Amino acid sequence: MEIARTVERRFACEDGDLEPGESMTVPGDVAVALYRNEHGDYFATADTCTHEDWSLGEDSDLEGNEVVCPLHMARFDIRSGEALCFPATIALQTYEVQVDDGKVYVLA
Ligand code: FES
């Protein structure tokens, strides 16, 4: 039987701390990668690349709404988590992002 995890609203950063095109890791029980695309919109996925053990929040390249893992160049859509090219074949879990009173939160 699978035991459901409680979703927690986790403070990530102040709105504006993350420049468009940047990402960061939000630590916690489940590490989350928070991205800000070139339009200033926030998205969040699991921090660890589904190919191997690499932190996308700490080190990746954001191109539009795609994150590129620099280790073996897998690409993911940060809106859906979809794996867009080999060697990654498994999607990233995505998480809701909320901006509230100048603070950015992830629900994970
Ligand atoms: S660890 Fe990300 S593509 Fe291999």
Side-chain angles (χ1 to χ4, degrees):
M1 185 173 103
E2 191 171 312
I3 299 173
R5 267 186 74 250
T6 303
V7 173
E8 126 191 40
R9 187 180 196 237
R10 201 182 308 165
F11 173 74
C13 63
E14 301 288 336
D15 188 18
D17 281 354
L18 209 55
E19 295 293 329
E22 290 185 344
S23 64
M24 64 175 285
T25 297
V26 184
D29 286 350
V30 176
V32 172
L34 176 68
Y35 313 94
R36 192 170 193 201
N37 72 8
E38 61 199 9
H39 302 296
D41 300 321
Y42 293 99
F43 295 93
T45 70
D47 187 59
T48 304
C49 179
T50 59
H51 178 235
E52 286 182 8
D53 187 17
W54 189 264
S55 168
L56 297 171
E58 293 297 321
D59 187 5
S60 61
D61 296 309
L62 200 52
E63 298 177 2
N65 288 316
E66 296 181 9
V67 63
V68 182
C69 177
L71 204 52
H72 307 105
M73 306 309 286
R75 304 176 80 91
F76 300 90
D77 188 317
I78 60 173
R79 299 165 297 183
S80 65
E82 180 185 3
L84 299 172
C85 74
F86 203 73
T89 57
I90 299 170
L92 293 165
Q93 175 72 48
T94 57
Y95 301 101
E96 183 178 340
V97 180
Q98 295 178 341
V99 181
D100 187 3
D101 199 23
K103 299 183 185 316
V104 183
Y105 299 88
V106 294
L107 275 60

